Amino acid sequence: MPTTPATLNKSAHSAAVSSRAPLSSCLIAGAALALSAGSPAAAEDVLVGNIVWPALSTQVLDDDTRILGSLTIEEGVQVVFDGNFELRVDDGATLTVRGTPDFPVVFNNPGGIWDGLRLLPGSVGDIEHAIFTRFDAVAILVDDAELTLSDSEIGDLAGATVSTGTRRGSRGLGDSTIHLVRTTIGPIRARNGADGQQGNDNNSTASAQTSANTKGRPGPPGTDGFPGAAGFSVRAIEVEAGELVVLSSIIEDIAGGAGGDGGRGGNNGTGGAGGTGTVFSPTGAMGGDGVRGQDGGNGATGGQPIGVLSGADRTVIANSRFRRLFGGDGGMGGRGGRGGNGED
């Protein structure tokens, strides 16, 4: 539900972006403070008619929000998501974003992540000079719709929360048309795979040998360590069908998650006591052997980094750069368990 708890004056906003680096310096303090400005008045989560969010305002969305008519977002607007909510553009509706180089429009959740912009079948998004950051799995999902994104940025901030699963900057479903012009995608990173659980230790002692002068039983085994989970992948752009055009754009710093480490193998138990001696051999038999500990789990593979994955009927990529695409490191194998002690 959009509210406008604060309006930013142009001079303050200018100071925040005058020495702007990509992404981070455009996230002005006013947007972060907007979430603590008190409970906003109740508002509908459906936008009907021709709506304009005025320049340099802060719009707080505290629920999933649908656009049924047209929404125009003017320069310098901070779109702040107060939770993991999405902005949806319905069939026949339009979203127009008109940021400028000095006053981009920023989509962000200062306190966590948000669920991305979704263009539903038959909708149109025309976006220029915008920044999308702290998004969940997909920044912009185009579902049998049209998107033109120019002079914009999609990427993670250092230290921001990263969700599980494959992450995407832009994803096209169905017969979508996606045009990216002078747009930077990255950095985007995926979460690491989980480490495997350690094997179960066996802390028991083998039963004593009852037969005279007979070697003791070996220590009972623990269990093997469990394998780690694979790291998650990143696909900067993914399109199923339709048309994809990427012009004069940059895809960089795309990093798959590291594979999880294997779990430690379980420790083995203590060997049992040897059989007692007899008149002819009064010293008795040896105790049971301590057996080698169990195997550690295998480390998992790292996640894949993919710049463009396109099944579109028409794909054009021109004058664009791909750099620093990193696969996640494989996980380390778990160490073996401790062998059991021999028993005297």
Side-chain angles (χ1 to χ4, degrees):
M1 301 177 187
T3 61
T4 54
T7 299
L8 307 174
N9 65 69
K10 196 158 186 173
S11 61
H13 195 291
S14 178
V17 299
S18 59
S19 59
R20 169 180 164 225
L23 297 177
S24 56
S25 63
C26 288
L27 307 182
I28 57 178
L33 294 174
L35 298 184
S36 60
S39 299
E44 297 292 336
D45 59 356
V46 177
L47 304 181
V48 181
N50 300 321
I51 307 296
V52 176
W53 288 349
L56 306 178
S57 64
T58 299
Q59 305 290 331
V60 178
L61 306 185
D62 58 4
D63 203 347
D64 290 333
T65 301
R66 298 170 56 200
I67 303 169
L68 295 184
S70 69
L71 172 63
T72 299
I73 305 178
E74 296 182 339
E75 63 174 343
V77 172
Q78 299 274 326
V79 184
V80 178
F81 293 83
D82 189 8
N84 193 12
F85 305 123
E86 70 174 2
L87 179 61
R88 298 194 301 270
V89 187
D90 272 28
D91 183 11
T94 61
L95 171 66
T96 304
V97 176
R98 290 292 178 260
T100 64
D102 290 332
F103 303 106
V105 172
V106 179
F107 296 82
N108 179 35
N109 178 356
I113 56 178
W114 61 289
D115 204 23
L117 169 64
R118 180 164 186 164
L119 301 174
L120 297 179
S123 65
V124 176
D126 184 4
I127 301 170
E128 60 184 44
H129 293 291
I131 294 173
F132 296 81
T133 191
R134 290 196 177 102
F135 53 89
D136 192 356
V138 184
I140 306 176
L141 180 63
V142 186
D143 187 357
D144 201 10
E146 296 182 16
L147 169 68
T148 300
L149 181 68
S150 59
D151 301 294
S152 296
E153 301 174 27
I154 299 174
D156 295 330
L157 292 173
T161 301
V162 177
S163 62
T164 58
T166 300
R167 301 188 70 225
R168 301 167 175 89
S170 177
R171 185 181 188 188
L173 303 177
D175 191 21
S176 295
T177 299
I178 299 177
H179 291 181
L180 305 180
V181 183
R182 296 181 302 278
T183 287
T184 298
I185 299 181
I188 301 177
R189 67 190 189 283
R191 182 173 286 189
N192 298 337
D195 293 338
Q197 296 181 1
Q198 75 172 46
N200 295 322
D201 294 336
N202 194 322
N203 298 315
S204 60
T205 300
S207 58
Q209 182 59 258
T210 57
S211 299
N213 290 324
T214 303
K215 185 175 180 178
R217 298 179 176 88
T223 62
D224 291 342
F226 292 87
F232 294 99
S233 298
V234 177
R235 300 169 183 177
I237 304 170
E238 182 179 6
V239 178
E240 285 186 349
E243 179 176 286
L244 172 65
V245 177
V246 181
L247 302 177
S248 303
S249 294
I250 298 173
I251 297 175
E252 62 183 2
D253 298 320
I254 306 299
D261 295 338
R264 174 180 68 78
N267 297 329
N268 285 345
T270 301
T276 58
T278 65
V279 173
F280 303 101
S281 180
T283 57
M286 293 176 59
D289 294 330
V291 182
R292 180 182 67 84
Q294 301 304 299
D295 294 333
N298 294 325
T301 57
Q304 291 183 323
I306 297 176
V308 175
L309 181 61
S310 178
D313 305 311
R314 178 173 181 261
T315 299
V316 177
I317 301 174
N319 300 321
S320 296
R321 290 184 292 171
F322 295 76
R323 58 191 184 189
R324 297 190 297 274
L325 275 65
F326 303 106
D329 294 333
M332 296 178 60
R335 64 182 177 86
R338 175 177 54 80
N341 298 320
E343 181 74 10
D344 294 335

